[in-house]
Amino acid sequence: MSTPESSIQGAALSDIAEEFGTPLFVYDTEVLQRTYRDLRDRLPKQVDVFFSLKANPNISVCAFLGRLGAGAEVSSHAELVTALRAGVDPADVIFLGPGKKDHELRACLDAGVHAVVCESLEELTRLDRITAARGGGECIAVLRVNPSFGTKGSGLAMGGKPRQFGIDEDVIAEAKSHIVALAHVRVAGVHAYMGTRFLDQADVVHNTGQILSTAEALAGRLGVPLETVDFGGGLGVAYFDNERDLDLDALGAGMREVVEPFARRNPRCRLIMELGRYLTAMAGTYVVRAEYVKESMGEQFVVADGGTNHHMAAVGIGSFVKRNFPVRHLGAPAGAPHRRYSLTGPLCTPNDVVAKKVELPEVRPGDLLGVERSGAYGPTASPGLFLSHGYPAEVVVHRGRARLVRERDTTEDLLAKQRLVDFS
Ligand SMILES: *Cc1c(COP(=O)(O)O)cnc(C)c1O
């Protein structure tokens, strides 16, 4: 008998693992939908929610969120093409990133994205030149500001520090002549991203208020219209024992307080909140199969077929003490004795530890384990090519049916891009 939770929308995870093999990521569209709607319904209506593909660039995940109403924030040519093929309206796509290449800027113009978020004055000039070379027309740019004020509430602080991202606030303040000289690029907004994994709604509200007033001050000083303000996002999800999820009601109420007065002063301004982790993390489970269960010097190890090569995020973020993602046994018999296990993967490095000393019902070789809340920064942020295991399969469960949305890498896939030269 399995534990009752080891299914998604009624589809047994053991059947899914059998059909698609392990290790694999499984995404639950009911959770994606609930997460999006619960947030959307609480945010002020002036705020558009954009999905940051960085967190999970799977095209079907993007398409599902797009159908729910999310725009897309992309940072590479491939992410741009992913969003467009997923059916996201180019008018709901922004392109951001510190190192945009000419061909990426051209692709933005070809697609007609809502805006290019420019991260330096040089990039504005480059975008102007590229627009001119295409025969003119107009391109909308939003300035990414590196604010003078620091961030509240994020481990990864942005703002108030030297960064390769954005343009320092005091540089923007003096950039009027630069902006006026642009022939084809029209600067029409401000962007700021203050960090990731915010778990206190008061910090998000505080940072948003700061960004909105900075945007108004800069636009006034530069004499540019405020048509778009993107105030980032970085909402977190609780991964570890000592964390709690955001209070969405309080977040919604706080956001209305800072957004509504701004919206009254700037009724035509589009507000964007860009979110990666928050939209997808909770919907994903990383499913691995125990290959070996062994003991070393009194510690029990489950050596699974996948590990940090697909789930680097589980190593723990910004912490010296190993903290564990929620892990569960996907098929323990009722009443099985519990033990503490460290969950490790197939890599030949002691760092390949997904979870350290977690309590689980007894694990035997062949059992399935699930790492929950793993739908963000999984394969995309992991060294999937390390030891040539390749990237795992990804499956979406929708209306009770599991479908493959990414094939597992095979040995032939891994070798296909290599060339064996003749040394004779
Ligand atoms: C990484 C990133 C995001 C997404 O961050 P999350 O914490 O996953 O929501 C959004 N905007 C920018 C500029 C980013 O660098």
Side-chain angles (χ1 to χ4, degrees), residues 52 54 73 96 144 191 193 196 234 274-277 377:
S52 302
K54 183 174 81 178
E73 177 256 294
L96 164 163
R144 179 169 180 182
H191 169 285
Y193 174 74
T196 189
E274 56 190 32
L275 298 167
R277 187 186 318 273
Y377 300 106

Side-chain angles (χ1 to χ4, degrees), residues 42 44 201-202 205-206 208 248-260:
R42 284 169 179 81
Q201 58 285 348
V205 171
H206 171 87
T208 304
L248 280 188
D249 288 323
L251 176 71
M255 292 299 272
R256 278 197 300 281
E257 266 176 44
V258 292
V259 163
E260 278 167 4

Side-chain angles (χ1 to χ4, degrees), residues 82-386:
T82 303
L84 297 174
R85 288 194 194 159
V88 180
D89 187 336
D92 294 321
V93 174
I94 54 170
F95 197 115
L96 164 163
K100 299 180 201 75
K101 304 172 194 78
D102 284 1
H103 81 96
E104 291 173 323
L105 293 171
R106 272 196 296 273
C108 288
L109 296 170
D110 291 344
V113 300
H114 172 64
V116 177
V117 180
C118 286
E119 311 228 8
S120 66
L121 297 181
E122 293 71 19
E123 187 188 328
L124 280 174
T125 305
R126 194 196 275 217
L127 185 57
D128 202 44
R129 197 184 65 232
I130 289 172
T131 313
R134 280 176 87 256
E138 186 184 70
C139 173
I140 306 291
V142 164
L143 301 180
R144 179 169 180 182
V145 55
N146 179 26
S148 312
F149 56 87
T151 308
K152 265 182 86 169
S154 172
L156 177 94
M158 307 286 233
K161 285 190 179 180
R163 286 288 190 209
Q164 72 270 46
F165 308 113
I167 313 170
D168 288 354
E169 192 176 331
D170 51 359
V171 172
I172 294 186
E174 302 306 322
K176 184 164 184 167
S177 58
H178 192 105
I179 288 166
V180 170
L182 301 167
H184 302 283
V185 172
R186 196 161 68 80
V187 172
V190 172
H191 169 285
Y193 174 74
M194 301 303 294
T196 189
R197 300 201 66 231
F198 290 100
L199 284 173
D200 184 339
Q201 58 285 348
D203 294 329
V204 178
V205 171
H206 171 87
N207 292 328
T208 304
Q210 292 251 49
I211 294 164
L212 293 177
S213 49
T214 301
E216 282 183 299
L218 287 175
R221 184 166 170 116
L222 297 174
V224 302
L226 263 193
E227 292 172 9
T228 299
V229 175
D230 180 334
F231 50 81
L235 302 186
V237 300
Y239 290 127
F240 311 120
D241 277 349
N242 59 339
E243 293 179 335
R244 275 199 305 156
D245 282 323
L246 283 155
D247 178 341
L248 280 188
D249 288 323
L251 176 71
M255 292 299 272
R256 278 197 300 281
E257 266 176 44
V258 292
V259 163
E260 278 167 4
F262 174 91
R264 278 195 292 276
R265 289 192 299 274
N266 303 276
R268 275 208 257 283
C269 183
R270 180 179 203 181
L271 289 170
I272 295 175
M273 187 176 212
E274 56 190 32
L275 298 167
R277 187 186 318 273
Y278 190 78
L279 294 180
T280 59
M282 289 175 280
T285 305
Y286 180 43
V287 179
V288 297
R289 199 179 284 283
E291 293 283 355
Y292 302 93
V293 180
K294 63 199 280 192
E295 183 177 314
S296 170
M297 300 196 179
E299 190 170 329
Q300 298 291 322
F301 288 87
V302 175
V303 184
D305 54 6
T308 59
N309 50 326
H310 304 149
H311 202 344
M312 200 62 188
V315 166
I317 309 139
S319 170
F320 292 108
V321 186
K322 169 74 183 160
R323 299 185 294 180
N324 296 316
F325 268 53
V327 178
R328 110 188 127 80
H329 197 307
L330 299 178
H338 282 233
R339 308 185 72 162
R340 285 201 176 271
Y341 295 98
S342 290
L343 175 60
T344 65
L347 303 184
C348 301
T349 155
N351 299 328
D352 188 17
V353 179
V354 172
K356 184 99 180 150
K357 296 184 183 167
V358 284
E359 192 179 308
L360 292 168
E362 181 171 29
V363 181
R364 287 158 310 178
D367 286 352
L368 293 172
L369 299 175
V371 186
E372 298 181 301
R373 299 195 157 210
S374 295
Y377 300 106
T380 181
S382 302
L385 299 180
F386 199 28

